[in-house]
Amino acid sequence: MISSDGDTKWSMLVPDLSTIYSLEDVKIVKPNKIIIKGYAVSGVGRAIERLEISLDQWNSSVEASKTPKTGNNNNSACVWFEATVDVSQTYEVIAAKEIKVRAIVKKHKPVSVQWQTLVPDLIRSVFERLNFVEFHRARSISLDWYSTAGLCYRQHPTPWLILFSNISRISCKLIDPHNDKTYEVKDLGFDFHKSRCLANCGSWFLMLDHRTDFYIFNLFTRERIRLPSLEAMDGSQMRFERTGEYDFEVTLDYKTKCGHFTSGKIRKVRIKNAVLWVDEKSRDYLVVWNLECFIAYHKKSYSNNSWKVFQPLNMRGCVNMVLKETKLYVLSLSKQITVYEFCGGGGDTPNECASFRSPDFQKDLENSLVVTLSGEVLMIARKICNFDIYKMDQSSSKWIKTNSIGNEALLLDQGTTVEAKDGVRRNYVYFSNGELHRYNEISLCYGTNSCVYDIQTDKVVQCFHQFADISLIPFKDARWFFPTFGGKWLL
């Protein structure tokens, strides 16, 4: 999107409207120079007169040549751009995330007051007739269309599936089971196909790229928030030293009843458990992840751009984590459930506020935590497509098996429940087997990966024929999510 203040013609690209649809891989054309190419869309319906590109935070810039995407229209709001940038003085390695683009657009012609009062209702009536793809194309026509798009939402949508691709030409695939629609998303750039999804909150996804760097990504607005590197650790409990593009030397300083001891060097970093919370309005966020028996966390409001670390007492590693509002629920290998609360924005170590034993399950079952809308803790014992659900009897403090979670449905990927309303059925479990595939590099297959399970009938009630169509595209992971735009449910 290109936004402007008053009558100024200088405008910065704002990521809310997915301005750069794609940035092609950088190509070396001669020593110390690179070519940068891509698409730019104004997002406000104004013609792009000039584009400039900078790699050093606008200390210097170069003008890009532009070609209308279709025809010879010089007043086009969508152009193909290309620029040759000299990197001989400053840069040894060029990262696409450092490229910044700005544009000069033609002045916006004022419209009559009468037309302004009619536009929102007319635009909204158009949006209500568009499918998912057309909706996202239409909201980039102008600022009026974009702002009106935020008013078009459903109070209670159904969950969608996202499939993450292993190939560069397709970033991911979206499945809307309720309407039986499938969409492909392309050109997310930045080697998106090499990233792994660890957690999600609405349409925000916590990603870990092939260099083991974290970032938060919004699928629909394409906003990307870079998180601190693993080398930026606050304290000495975990220390990371990068030894190559992919490898680290990791030192862990354990605190035990007998004192401290330090682990040897670890080359491969395998982060399995992570959770994410994002505030749509303030863009504040909280990211928590686990390595061995340590938990690292970072919040936007913290003063230091680093990961803070703590070692929960009486833990021998983490099996599962759930984040609900300000509370973190942790299931340890010692079958202990511990609840921590993040207080304030100062970054202090979370306070332990509760601790209790989990049920004793068979060793071959996968154990998961779930926190309901009311804050009740459930334990899930799963074997492939079969689930046993336990809740604690408050009178006896014992875990009992149940075949009902009331008027709620369970999203196993997030470890939370949602109200069963409209297309969301009560006592349903939405689950995926993505974890197996994302680590073992096994492509997803039809029938066993993402399904819907009925707790009361103890049966899988829905699989997805779309998996039968992906044999030629190696999708590596699947995850359920609720599609949101600007904090509201999408049409």
Side-chain angles (χ1 to χ4, degrees):
M1 169 186 168
I2 298 176
S3 64
S4 60
D5 298 324
D7 291 332
T8 178
K9 296 176 69 178
W10 282 95
S11 303
M12 294 296 297
L13 288 169
V14 181
D16 287 6
L17 288 188
S18 315
T19 309
I20 305 302
Y21 282 128
S22 64
L23 281 172
E24 289 192 349
D25 293 338
V26 225
K27 177 182 178 183
I28 301 298
V29 288
K30 61 176 66 175
N32 302 323
K33 291 190 177 182
I34 61 172
I35 286 181
I36 300 172
K37 302 177 181 180
Y39 283 115
V41 181
S42 72
V44 294
R46 305 186 197 180
I48 298 176
E49 292 186 341
R50 189 163 81 243
L51 280 165
E52 296 181 349
I53 293 178
S54 175
L55 300 178
D56 56 5
Q57 303 293 323
W58 301 112
N59 291 320
S60 63
S61 62
V62 297
E63 183 173 349
S65 62
K66 62 183 182 70
T67 305
K69 188 176 179 181
T70 56
N72 297 314
N73 183 11
N74 290 326
N75 294 319
S76 177
C78 179
V79 299
W80 166 264
F81 67 85
E82 179 176 331
T84 301
V85 181
D86 189 344
V87 294
S88 58
Q89 301 299 321
T90 308
Y91 298 93
E92 295 180 0
V93 177
I94 299 300
K97 60 188 177 184
E98 299 295 338
I99 297 174
K100 293 184 177 294
V101 185
R102 67 184 177 189
I104 297 176
V105 297
K106 291 187 176 181
K107 288 184 178 181
H108 183 63
K109 294 182 180 180
V111 296
S112 66
V113 176
Q114 291 85 354
W115 177 244
Q116 288 180 334
T117 58
L118 292 176
V119 163
D121 289 337
L122 292 174
I123 296 175
R124 188 168 182 173
S125 66
V126 172
F127 277 135
E128 291 173 349
R129 291 166 172 79
L130 300 180
N131 62 31
F132 168 77
V133 174
E134 293 167 342
F135 174 85
H136 280 280
R137 288 174 177 169
R139 68 184 176 86
S140 293
I141 291 177
S142 70
L143 286 175
D144 290 330
W145 285 66
Y146 181 75
S147 59
T148 305
L151 303 175
C152 301
Y153 64 97
R154 288 193 316 217
Q155 290 288 351
H156 301 281
T158 56
W160 286 19
L161 269 170
I162 180 171
L163 310 180
F164 295 91
S165 171
N166 256 337
I167 58 176
S168 58
R169 64 184 178 87
I170 297 178
S171 296
C172 58
K173 177 178 283 191
L174 304 178
I175 300 175
D176 175 4
H178 184 69
N179 296 310
D180 196 25
K181 297 287 187 180
T182 303
Y183 309 97
E184 285 187 354
V185 181
K186 301 180 180 180
D187 298 327
L188 291 181
F190 299 94
D191 289 334
F192 187 81
H193 66 288
K194 296 182 180 179
S195 297
R196 181 160 54 89
C197 180
L198 297 179
N200 66 284
C201 176
S203 297
W204 292 88
F205 294 85
L206 174 62
M207 310 297 295
L208 189 67
D209 69 14
H210 64 288
R211 298 186 71 253
T212 322
D213 286 331
F214 288 95
Y215 64 92
I216 305 173
F217 179 76
N218 188 299
L219 179 65
F220 299 119
T221 66
R222 303 199 182 184
E223 292 174 82
R224 185 181 299 259
I225 302 173
R226 288 166 34 185
L227 298 175
S229 67
L230 290 181
E231 297 96 318
M233 288 288 166
D234 189 356
S236 59
Q237 290 180 291
M238 283 199 298
R239 297 186 295 276
F240 291 79
E241 181 181 351
R242 191 179 291 274
T243 58
E245 185 177 5
Y246 314 104
D247 296 331
F248 293 87
E249 284 193 358
V250 185
T251 304
L252 305 177
D253 185 17
Y254 294 90
K255 180 181 179 181
T256 67
K257 294 180 180 180
C258 301
H260 291 260
F261 74 93
T262 302
S263 72
K265 305 296 183 181
I266 302 174
R267 290 181 57 83
K268 298 294 183 181
V269 178
R270 176 169 166 167
I271 297 171
K272 177 180 178 181
N273 297 297
V275 287
L276 170 68
W277 166 82
V278 179
D279 186 305
E280 288 280 3
K281 293 183 179 180
S282 67
R283 293 298 191 266
D284 196 7
Y285 55 82
L286 174 62
V287 176
V288 186
W289 53 271
N290 155 254
L291 181 66
E292 300 289 338
C293 67
F294 296 91
I295 289 180
Y297 59 99
H298 176 72
K299 203 169 189 289
K300 179 183 177 182
S301 57
Y302 291 169
S303 56
N304 294 330
N305 188 31
S306 62
W307 295 103
K308 300 181 182 298
V309 181
F310 72 105
Q311 180 187 353
L313 298 176
N314 303 321
M315 282 191 63
R316 295 189 298 107
C318 175
V319 175
N320 192 227
M321 294 192 301
V322 173
L323 183 62
K324 183 175 176 61
E325 297 175 348
T326 60
K327 291 183 178 180
L328 176 70
Y329 298 76
V330 180
L331 173 64
S332 70
L333 286 171
S334 58
K335 299 182 179 179
Q336 192 77 9
I337 299 173
T338 311
V339 185
Y340 300 90
E341 184 160 13
F342 290 85
C343 302
D348 295 333
T349 301
N351 299 320
E352 180 179 330
C353 56
S355 182
F356 45 94
R357 291 279 299 178
S358 73
D360 291 326
F361 295 122
Q362 299 176 19
K363 291 184 179 180
D364 60 341
L365 298 181
E366 180 183 338
N367 302 330
S368 301
L369 270 173
V370 171
V371 182
T372 67
L373 290 173
S374 63
E376 183 180 21
V377 177
L378 305 178
M379 281 297 304
I380 314 296
R382 170 187 172 189
K383 188 172 184 179
I384 308 178
C385 296
N386 293 314
F387 297 83
D388 290 333
I389 300 177
Y390 294 81
K391 65 179 179 179
M392 183 176 288
D393 181 19
Q394 298 300 322
S395 60
S396 63
S397 297
K398 294 182 178 180
W399 292 93
I400 58 174
K401 187 176 179 181
T402 181
N403 63 353
S404 175
I405 56 174
N407 192 37
E408 297 179 19
L410 192 157
L411 269 69
L412 199 61
D413 291 333
Q414 284 88 352
T416 58
T417 61
V418 294
E419 184 181 3
K421 199 168 184 178
D422 295 341
V424 180
R425 301 289 298 274
R426 67 192 307 268
N427 285 314
Y428 273 17
V429 179
Y430 296 84
F431 70 97
S432 65
N433 286 344
E435 183 179 312
L436 168 67
H437 307 283
R438 71 176 73 115
Y439 288 109
N440 297 328
E441 298 183 357
I442 304 171
S443 294
L444 299 178
C445 55
Y446 173 62
T448 62
N449 295 283
S450 295
C451 307
V452 181
Y453 172 86
D454 190 330
I455 299 172
Q456 291 184 321
T457 62
D458 196 25
K459 294 181 180 179
V460 171
V461 294
Q462 187 177 15
C463 290
F464 301 100
H465 64 81
Q466 289 89 342
F467 281 103
D469 302 328
I470 66 174
S471 57
L472 299 179
I473 301 175
F475 287 94
K476 60 189 174 185
D477 195 3
R479 186 172 292 269
W480 288 95
F481 75 105
F482 276 94
T484 58
F485 174 67
K488 299 176 180 178
W489 306 122
L490 283 175
L491 285 165

